mmCIF file of all heavy atoms in Angstrom:
data_model
loop_
_atom_site.group_PDB
_atom_site.id
_atom_site.type_symbol
_atom_site.label_atom_id
_atom_site.label_comp_id
_atom_site.label_asym_id
_atom_site.label_seq_id
_atom_site.Cartn_x
_atom_site.Cartn_y
_atom_site.Cartn_z
ATOM 1 N N ARG I 134 86.811 220.859 116.895
ATOM 2 C CA ARG I 134 85.517 221.369 116.405
ATOM 3 C C ARG I 134 84.855 220.340 115.489
ATOM 4 O O ARG I 134 83.645 220.113 115.563
ATOM 5 C CB ARG I 134 85.705 222.696 115.670
ATOM 6 C CG ARG I 134 85.798 223.905 116.566
ATOM 7 C CD ARG I 134 85.706 225.215 115.778
ATOM 8 N NE ARG I 134 86.741 225.344 114.763
ATOM 9 C CZ ARG I 134 87.970 225.801 114.989
ATOM 10 N NH1 ARG I 134 88.320 226.181 116.189
ATOM 11 N NH2 ARG I 134 88.842 225.892 114.002
ATOM 12 N N LEU I 135 85.657 219.721 114.627
ATOM 13 C CA LEU I 135 85.099 218.699 113.731
ATOM 14 C C LEU I 135 84.596 217.488 114.517
ATOM 15 O O LEU I 135 83.554 216.920 114.184
ATOM 16 C CB LEU I 135 86.144 218.269 112.703
ATOM 17 C CG LEU I 135 86.380 219.264 111.575
ATOM 18 C CD1 LEU I 135 87.593 218.859 110.756
ATOM 19 C CD2 LEU I 135 85.145 219.376 110.703
ATOM 20 N N GLU I 136 85.318 217.087 115.559
ATOM 21 C CA GLU I 136 84.858 215.969 116.397
ATOM 22 C C GLU I 136 83.516 216.315 117.049
ATOM 23 O O GLU I 136 82.619 215.474 117.112
ATOM 24 C CB GLU I 136 85.898 215.629 117.469
ATOM 25 C CG GLU I 136 87.170 215.003 116.938
ATOM 26 C CD GLU I 136 86.998 213.592 116.403
ATOM 27 O OE1 GLU I 136 86.054 212.886 116.796
ATOM 28 O OE2 GLU I 136 87.817 213.182 115.569
ATOM 29 N N ASP I 137 83.380 217.558 117.529
ATOM 30 C CA ASP I 137 82.105 217.992 118.117
ATOM 31 C C ASP I 137 80.996 218.002 117.061
ATOM 32 O O ASP I 137 79.856 217.616 117.334
ATOM 33 C CB ASP I 137 82.239 219.381 118.741
ATOM 34 C CG ASP I 137 83.107 219.380 119.993
ATOM 35 O OD1 ASP I 137 83.340 218.292 120.574
ATOM 36 O OD2 ASP I 137 83.563 220.487 120.383
ATOM 37 N N THR I 138 81.335 218.450 115.861
ATOM 38 C CA THR I 138 80.361 218.477 114.762
ATOM 39 C C THR I 138 79.919 217.059 114.415
ATOM 40 O O THR I 138 78.724 216.800 114.228
ATOM 41 C CB THR I 138 80.971 219.164 113.525
ATOM 42 O OG1 THR I 138 81.307 220.507 113.870
ATOM 43 C CG2 THR I 138 80.013 219.158 112.352
ATOM 44 N N ILE I 139 80.876 216.149 114.339
ATOM 45 C CA ILE I 139 80.543 214.751 114.024
ATOM 46 C C ILE I 139 79.620 214.186 115.097
ATOM 47 O O ILE I 139 78.629 213.512 114.789
ATOM 48 C CB ILE I 139 81.826 213.903 113.870
ATOM 49 C CG1 ILE I 139 82.580 214.309 112.601
ATOM 50 C CG2 ILE I 139 81.498 212.409 113.846
ATOM 51 C CD1 ILE I 139 84.004 213.767 112.512
ATOM 52 N N ALA I 140 79.914 214.473 116.361
ATOM 53 C CA ALA I 140 79.072 213.967 117.453
ATOM 54 C C ALA I 140 77.663 214.526 117.368
ATOM 55 O O ALA I 140 76.676 213.791 117.543
ATOM 56 C CB ALA I 140 79.706 214.308 118.797
ATOM 57 N N ALA I 141 77.529 215.815 117.076
ATOM 58 C CA ALA I 141 76.200 216.429 116.965
ATOM 59 C C ALA I 141 75.438 215.862 115.768
ATOM 60 O O ALA I 141 74.232 215.574 115.861
ATOM 61 C CB ALA I 141 76.333 217.947 116.840
ATOM 62 N N ARG I 142 76.122 215.679 114.666
ATOM 63 C CA ARG I 142 75.467 215.136 113.476
ATOM 64 C C ARG I 142 75.104 213.671 113.667
ATOM 65 O O ARG I 142 74.093 213.204 113.156
ATOM 66 C CB ARG I 142 76.355 215.335 112.254
ATOM 67 C CG ARG I 142 76.450 216.796 111.869
ATOM 68 C CD ARG I 142 77.353 217.043 110.716
ATOM 69 N NE ARG I 142 77.397 218.471 110.398
ATOM 70 C CZ ARG I 142 78.137 218.990 109.444
ATOM 71 N NH1 ARG I 142 78.896 218.198 108.699
ATOM 72 N NH2 ARG I 142 78.130 220.276 109.222
ATOM 73 N N ARG I 143 75.916 212.952 114.419
ATOM 74 C CA ARG I 143 75.610 211.557 114.733
ATOM 75 C C ARG I 143 74.332 211.484 115.562
ATOM 76 O O ARG I 143 73.488 210.619 115.343
ATOM 77 C CB ARG I 143 76.768 210.932 115.496
ATOM 78 C CG ARG I 143 76.539 209.480 115.862
ATOM 79 C CD ARG I 143 77.691 208.928 116.658
ATOM 80 N NE ARG I 143 78.904 208.959 115.851
ATOM 81 C CZ ARG I 143 80.127 208.936 116.353
ATOM 82 N NH1 ARG I 143 80.329 208.887 117.641
ATOM 83 N NH2 ARG I 143 81.156 208.946 115.550
ATOM 84 N N GLU I 144 74.169 212.414 116.485
ATOM 85 C CA GLU I 144 72.961 212.448 117.311
ATOM 86 C C GLU I 144 71.722 212.694 116.450
ATOM 87 O O GLU I 144 70.697 212.030 116.620
ATOM 88 C CB GLU I 144 73.099 213.542 118.370
ATOM 89 C CG GLU I 144 71.980 213.568 119.363
ATOM 90 C CD GLU I 144 72.208 214.592 120.461
ATOM 91 O OE1 GLU I 144 73.361 214.867 120.823
ATOM 92 O OE2 GLU I 144 71.194 215.123 120.957
ATOM 93 N N LEU I 145 71.816 213.626 115.512
ATOM 94 C CA LEU I 145 70.691 213.897 114.608
ATOM 95 C C LEU I 145 70.400 212.674 113.746
ATOM 96 O O LEU I 145 69.234 212.296 113.565
ATOM 97 C CB LEU I 145 70.997 215.105 113.721
ATOM 98 C CG LEU I 145 69.939 215.428 112.672
ATOM 99 C CD1 LEU I 145 68.607 215.795 113.331
ATOM 100 C CD2 LEU I 145 70.411 216.545 111.765
ATOM 101 N N TYR I 146 71.439 212.043 113.224
ATOM 102 C CA TYR I 146 71.263 210.845 112.410
ATOM 103 C C TYR I 146 70.534 209.766 113.208
ATOM 104 O O TYR I 146 69.562 209.172 112.734
ATOM 105 C CB TYR I 146 72.634 210.346 111.934
ATOM 106 C CG TYR I 146 72.595 209.004 111.239
ATOM 107 C CD1 TYR I 146 72.295 208.906 109.885
ATOM 108 C CD2 TYR I 146 72.857 207.827 111.945
ATOM 109 C CE1 TYR I 146 72.259 207.672 109.244
ATOM 110 C CE2 TYR I 146 72.822 206.596 111.309
ATOM 111 C CZ TYR I 146 72.525 206.531 109.967
ATOM 112 O OH TYR I 146 72.486 205.307 109.350
ATOM 113 N N ASN I 147 70.995 209.505 114.419
ATOM 114 C CA ASN I 147 70.379 208.470 115.254
ATOM 115 C C ASN I 147 68.934 208.800 115.588
ATOM 116 O O ASN I 147 68.086 207.908 115.652
ATOM 117 C CB ASN I 147 71.185 208.239 116.531
ATOM 118 C CG ASN I 147 72.431 207.427 116.275
ATOM 119 O OD1 ASN I 147 72.531 206.694 115.299
ATOM 120 N ND2 ASN I 147 73.402 207.565 117.149
ATOM 121 N N ASP I 148 68.630 210.081 115.780
ATOM 122 C CA ASP I 148 67.246 210.486 116.043
ATOM 123 C C ASP I 148 66.365 210.170 114.835
ATOM 124 O O ASP I 148 65.254 209.645 114.990
ATOM 125 C CB ASP I 148 67.179 211.976 116.377
ATOM 126 C CG ASP I 148 65.759 212.431 116.650
ATOM 127 O OD1 ASP I 148 65.126 211.889 117.591
ATOM 128 O OD2 ASP I 148 65.270 213.316 115.915
ATOM 129 N N GLN I 149 66.849 210.474 113.652
ATOM 130 C CA GLN I 149 66.060 210.198 112.444
ATOM 131 C C GLN I 149 65.906 208.691 112.225
ATOM 132 O O GLN I 149 64.842 208.222 111.817
ATOM 133 C CB GLN I 149 66.710 210.850 111.222
ATOM 134 C CG GLN I 149 66.739 212.363 111.281
ATOM 135 C CD GLN I 149 65.374 212.975 111.479
ATOM 136 O OE1 GLN I 149 64.389 212.580 110.862
ATOM 137 N NE2 GLN I 149 65.290 213.945 112.370
ATOM 138 N N VAL I 150 66.957 207.916 112.504
ATOM 139 C CA VAL I 150 66.869 206.462 112.389
ATOM 140 C C VAL I 150 65.850 205.919 113.389
ATOM 141 O O VAL I 150 65.041 205.051 113.052
ATOM 142 C CB VAL I 150 68.258 205.800 112.590
ATOM 143 C CG1 VAL I 150 68.134 204.286 112.758
ATOM 144 C CG2 VAL I 150 69.156 206.120 111.410
ATOM 145 N N PHE I 151 65.862 206.447 114.612
ATOM 146 C CA PHE I 151 64.887 206.017 115.623
ATOM 147 C C PHE I 151 63.457 206.275 115.136
ATOM 148 O O PHE I 151 62.588 205.397 115.228
ATOM 149 C CB PHE I 151 65.132 206.744 116.951
ATOM 150 C CG PHE I 151 64.062 206.487 117.969
ATOM 151 C CD1 PHE I 151 64.046 205.296 118.681
ATOM 152 C CD2 PHE I 151 63.058 207.416 118.196
ATOM 153 C CE1 PHE I 151 63.051 205.037 119.610
ATOM 154 C CE2 PHE I 151 62.065 207.169 119.117
ATOM 155 C CZ PHE I 151 62.051 205.978 119.832
ATOM 156 N N ARG I 152 63.211 207.461 114.620
ATOM 157 C CA ARG I 152 61.864 207.807 114.123
ATOM 158 C C ARG I 152 61.448 206.891 112.968
ATOM 159 O O ARG I 152 60.327 206.411 112.917
ATOM 160 C CB ARG I 152 61.826 209.264 113.684
ATOM 161 C CG ARG I 152 61.937 210.237 114.820
ATOM 162 C CD ARG I 152 62.146 211.657 114.279
ATOM 163 N NE ARG I 152 62.395 212.578 115.343
ATOM 164 C CZ ARG I 152 61.521 213.486 115.753
ATOM 165 N NH1 ARG I 152 60.353 213.589 115.164
ATOM 166 N NH2 ARG I 152 61.828 214.296 116.735
ATOM 167 N N TYR I 153 62.377 206.676 112.050
ATOM 168 C CA TYR I 153 62.098 205.819 110.899
ATOM 169 C C TYR I 153 61.811 204.387 111.339
ATOM 170 O O TYR I 153 60.811 203.797 110.935
ATOM 171 C CB TYR I 153 63.289 205.866 109.934
ATOM 172 C CG TYR I 153 63.243 204.834 108.839
ATOM 173 C CD1 TYR I 153 62.488 205.054 107.690
ATOM 174 C CD2 TYR I 153 63.952 203.637 108.938
ATOM 175 C CE1 TYR I 153 62.447 204.106 106.676
ATOM 176 C CE2 TYR I 153 63.913 202.695 107.935
ATOM 177 C CZ TYR I 153 63.162 202.932 106.812
ATOM 178 O OH TYR I 153 63.114 202.000 105.811
ATOM 179 N N ASN I 154 62.688 203.821 112.163
ATOM 180 C CA ASN I 154 62.512 202.444 112.611
ATOM 181 C C ASN I 154 61.214 202.283 113.395
ATOM 182 O O ASN I 154 60.540 201.260 113.270
ATOM 183 C CB ASN I 154 63.708 201.985 113.451
ATOM 184 C CG ASN I 154 64.959 201.777 112.620
ATOM 185 O OD1 ASN I 154 64.909 201.720 111.398
ATOM 186 N ND2 ASN I 154 66.081 201.689 113.288
ATOM 187 N N THR I 155 60.867 203.277 114.190
ATOM 188 C CA THR I 155 59.612 203.231 114.936
ATOM 189 C C THR I 155 58.434 203.287 113.977
ATOM 190 O O THR I 155 57.477 202.515 114.111
ATOM 191 C CB THR I 155 59.541 204.399 115.942
ATOM 192 O OG1 THR I 155 60.642 204.298 116.845
ATOM 193 C CG2 THR I 155 58.237 204.372 116.712
ATOM 194 N N ARG I 156 58.508 204.162 112.999
ATOM 195 C CA ARG I 156 57.402 204.339 112.043
ATOM 196 C C ARG I 156 57.149 203.066 111.240
ATOM 197 O O ARG I 156 56.010 202.674 111.043
ATOM 198 C CB ARG I 156 57.712 205.507 111.110
ATOM 199 C CG ARG I 156 56.569 205.873 110.192
ATOM 200 C CD ARG I 156 55.461 206.517 110.996
ATOM 201 N NE ARG I 156 54.477 207.087 110.116
ATOM 202 C CZ ARG I 156 53.189 206.816 110.207
ATOM 203 N NH1 ARG I 156 52.728 206.028 111.149
ATOM 204 N NH2 ARG I 156 52.339 207.357 109.376
ATOM 205 N N ILE I 157 58.217 202.410 110.781
ATOM 206 C CA ILE I 157 57.981 201.203 109.976
ATOM 207 C C ILE I 157 57.734 199.972 110.852
ATOM 208 O O ILE I 157 57.441 198.906 110.325
ATOM 209 C CB ILE I 157 59.129 200.919 108.974
ATOM 210 C CG1 ILE I 157 60.422 200.538 109.670
ATOM 211 C CG2 ILE I 157 59.303 202.085 108.025
ATOM 212 C CD1 ILE I 157 61.457 199.949 108.740
ATOM 213 N N GLY I 158 57.828 200.127 112.156
ATOM 214 C CA GLY I 158 57.543 199.021 113.062
ATOM 215 C C GLY I 158 56.135 199.055 113.624
ATOM 216 O O GLY I 158 55.711 198.120 114.296
ATOM 217 N N GLN I 159 55.413 200.138 113.361
ATOM 218 C CA GLN I 159 54.051 200.288 113.861
ATOM 219 C C GLN I 159 53.047 200.134 112.723
ATOM 220 O O GLN I 159 53.370 200.349 111.564
ATOM 221 C CB GLN I 159 53.864 201.678 114.491
ATOM 222 C CG GLN I 159 54.739 201.928 115.700
ATOM 223 C CD GLN I 159 54.620 203.358 116.190
ATOM 224 O OE1 GLN I 159 54.359 204.273 115.431
ATOM 225 N NE2 GLN I 159 54.824 203.540 117.486
ATOM 226 N N VAL I 160 51.834 199.789 113.087
ATOM 227 C CA VAL I 160 50.759 199.699 112.106
ATOM 228 C C VAL I 160 50.295 201.117 111.818
ATOM 229 O O VAL I 160 50.146 201.907 112.743
ATOM 230 C CB VAL I 160 49.597 198.840 112.665
ATOM 231 C CG1 VAL I 160 48.412 198.844 111.717
ATOM 232 C CG2 VAL I 160 50.066 197.434 112.952
ATOM 233 N N PRO I 161 50.113 201.536 110.614
ATOM 234 C CA PRO I 161 50.140 200.808 109.348
ATOM 235 C C PRO I 161 51.509 200.814 108.675
ATOM 236 O O PRO I 161 51.666 200.261 107.591
ATOM 237 C CB PRO I 161 49.125 201.543 108.500
ATOM 238 C CG PRO I 161 49.244 202.960 108.934
ATOM 239 C CD PRO I 161 49.542 202.886 110.419
ATOM 240 N N GLY I 162 52.521 201.413 109.321
ATOM 241 C CA GLY I 162 53.841 201.507 108.714
ATOM 242 C C GLY I 162 54.457 200.168 108.390
ATOM 243 O O GLY I 162 55.135 200.013 107.375
ATOM 244 N N VAL I 163 54.225 199.188 109.246
ATOM 245 C CA VAL I 163 54.795 197.858 109.017
ATOM 246 C C VAL I 163 54.222 197.242 107.733
ATOM 247 O O VAL I 163 54.927 196.549 106.997
ATOM 248 C CB VAL I 163 54.594 196.946 110.253
ATOM 249 C CG1 VAL I 163 53.141 196.565 110.438
ATOM 250 C CG2 VAL I 163 55.465 195.723 110.180
ATOM 251 N N ILE I 164 52.978 197.521 107.452
ATOM 252 C CA ILE I 164 52.345 197.009 106.227
ATOM 253 C C ILE I 164 52.937 197.699 105.005
ATOM 254 O O ILE I 164 53.314 197.043 104.025
ATOM 255 C CB ILE I 164 50.813 197.209 106.291
ATOM 256 C CG1 ILE I 164 50.229 196.399 107.451
ATOM 257 C CG2 ILE I 164 50.157 196.838 104.964
ATOM 258 C CD1 ILE I 164 48.810 196.777 107.821
ATOM 259 N N VAL I 165 53.053 199.026 105.079
ATOM 260 C CA VAL I 165 53.611 199.783 103.959
ATOM 261 C C VAL I 165 55.074 199.393 103.747
ATOM 262 O O VAL I 165 55.514 199.210 102.609
ATOM 263 C CB VAL I 165 53.459 201.302 104.208
ATOM 264 C CG1 VAL I 165 54.152 202.105 103.122
ATOM 265 C CG2 VAL I 165 51.979 201.683 104.277
ATOM 266 N N ALA I 166 55.826 199.239 104.838
ATOM 267 C CA ALA I 166 57.234 198.854 104.724
ATOM 268 C C ALA I 166 57.381 197.495 104.058
ATOM 269 O O ALA I 166 58.270 197.289 103.227
ATOM 270 C CB ALA I 166 57.892 198.848 106.103
ATOM 271 N N SER I 167 56.504 196.559 104.404
ATOM 272 C CA SER I 167 56.599 195.232 103.781
ATOM 273 C C SER I 167 56.226 195.295 102.298
ATOM 274 O O SER I 167 56.799 194.565 101.495
ATOM 275 C CB SER I 167 55.733 194.222 104.528
ATOM 276 O OG SER I 167 54.368 194.537 104.376
ATOM 277 N N LEU I 168 55.316 196.182 101.936
ATOM 278 C CA LEU I 168 54.947 196.332 100.531
ATOM 279 C C LEU I 168 56.108 196.861 99.690
ATOM 280 O O LEU I 168 56.269 196.477 98.531
ATOM 281 C CB LEU I 168 53.757 197.292 100.390
ATOM 282 C CG LEU I 168 52.398 196.793 100.871
ATOM 283 C CD1 LEU I 168 51.370 197.916 100.817
ATOM 284 C CD2 LEU I 168 51.931 195.620 100.024
ATOM 285 N N PHE I 169 56.906 197.749 100.274
ATOM 286 C CA PHE I 169 57.977 198.397 99.524
ATOM 287 C C PHE I 169 59.361 197.836 99.855
ATOM 288 O O PHE I 169 60.359 198.328 99.345
ATOM 289 C CB PHE I 169 57.937 199.909 99.756
ATOM 290 C CG PHE I 169 56.720 200.547 99.160
ATOM 291 C CD1 PHE I 169 55.616 200.835 99.940
ATOM 292 C CD2 PHE I 169 56.665 200.825 97.796
ATOM 293 C CE1 PHE I 169 54.480 201.406 99.391
ATOM 294 C CE2 PHE I 169 55.533 201.388 97.240
ATOM 295 C CZ PHE I 169 54.433 201.684 98.035
ATOM 296 N N GLY I 170 59.431 196.833 100.715
ATOM 297 C CA GLY I 170 60.709 196.207 101.040
ATOM 298 C C GLY I 170 61.610 197.063 101.905
ATOM 299 O O GLY I 170 62.831 196.900 101.887
#
Side-chain angles (χ1 to χ4, degrees):
R134 278 191 302 275
L135 284 170
E136 290 290 336
D137 291 343
T138 299
I139 291 167
R142 290 178 180 178
R143 180 182 297 159
E144 186 175 329
L145 176 63
Y146 172 84
N147 283 338
D148 180 60
Q149 296 304 316
V150 168
F151 172 78
R152 291 170 186 252
Y153 169 82
N154 289 346
T155 301
R156 187 71 170 127
I157 67 167
Q159 297 174 331
V160 175
V163 70
I164 297 166
V165 174
S167 67
L168 289 173
F169 293 98

